[in-house]
Amino acid sequence: MRIGFAAALTAFVLMAVGACGTDVPAGLADKVESGCPELLKPEPLAVITQGFVVSEVNSVETNGCQVFVSTGRQVLNVGIVAYSSPEESERLTPMLCSSGTLDANTKSCADDEPGGRHTVHAAAGKWSVVVSVYEVPVNDDVKEAVQQIVEDLRSSDKTRG
């Protein structure tokens, strides 16, 4: 009986710790929802902007989003462009990559540029997605957050229609 209880308690604790995820600063979710609905979620943005105060999240156009921090620096740009078909997107998106190809598994490519810019281009159905991070230290967590933004866009109503 004690072993069963201990196992159940351990499983509960592991589930609770795993569900914690990234802390989203107060007000960030509202900024994302009002500034970039359907293009961005607050959790990956919180990872990218950790240590900074997000001052502005806005859509410069219907299919684009910019994020600025309190220093006035732009730290994130998200954009999507529609093509006539998924095949067209998969044919043209690689032209935006420095390698000229998309990874077969992820249908994306990543470029790290001098000065700390990290950009991912990806095919998402008939859409081409670009996510660029500027002015923040790019580590594995930031790269995973960028990939999460791409995956979120792939499963969003915005790109599925």
Side-chain angles (χ1 to χ4, degrees):
M1 179 74 170
R2 287 184 183 182
I3 292 174
F5 176 74
L9 181 61
T10 301
F12 175 75
V13 169
L14 290 175
M15 285 182 0
V17 169
C20 290
T22 302
D23 289 333
V24 175
L28 184 60
D30 291 335
K31 287 179 184 177
V32 169
E33 182 58 35
S34 64
C36 293
E38 300 181 345
L39 287 175
L40 190 58
K41 292 186 178 179
E43 293 82 5
L45 180 58
V47 171
I48 293 167
T49 59
Q50 187 171 12
F52 295 92
V53 175
V54 173
S55 60
E56 185 178 349
V57 178
N58 66 49
S59 294
V60 291
E61 54 191 52
T62 305
N63 294 327
C65 180
Q66 297 176 332
V67 176
F68 296 86
V69 293
S70 60
T71 61
R73 296 182 293 176
Q74 181 179 0
V75 294
L76 182 71
N77 182 62
V78 177
I80 58 176
V81 175
Y83 290 108
S84 60
S85 68
E87 295 77 23
E88 191 78 354
S89 174
E90 288 185 35
R91 186 177 69 79
L92 294 174
T93 300
M95 293 179 188
L96 302 169
C97 307
S98 62
S99 66
T101 61
L102 296 178
D103 178 271
N105 294 327
T106 64
K107 294 186 181 180
S108 67
C109 65
D111 292 319
D112 291 311
E113 300 173 22
R117 181 176 177 173
H118 176 72
T119 300
V120 172
H121 295 280
K126 71 174 190 173
W127 297 85
S128 179
V129 173
V130 61
V131 180
S132 295
V133 174
Y134 320 86
E135 304 286 336
V136 297
V138 177
N139 57 28
D140 288 342
D141 290 340
V142 169
K143 289 179 180 183
E144 287 176 21
V146 168
Q147 192 60 41
Q148 185 60 53
I149 292 169
V150 169
E151 294 306 319
D152 291 344
L153 283 167
R154 283 184 173 143
S155 63
S156 77
D157 292 339
K158 186 96 172 162
T159 60
R160 297 184 107 190

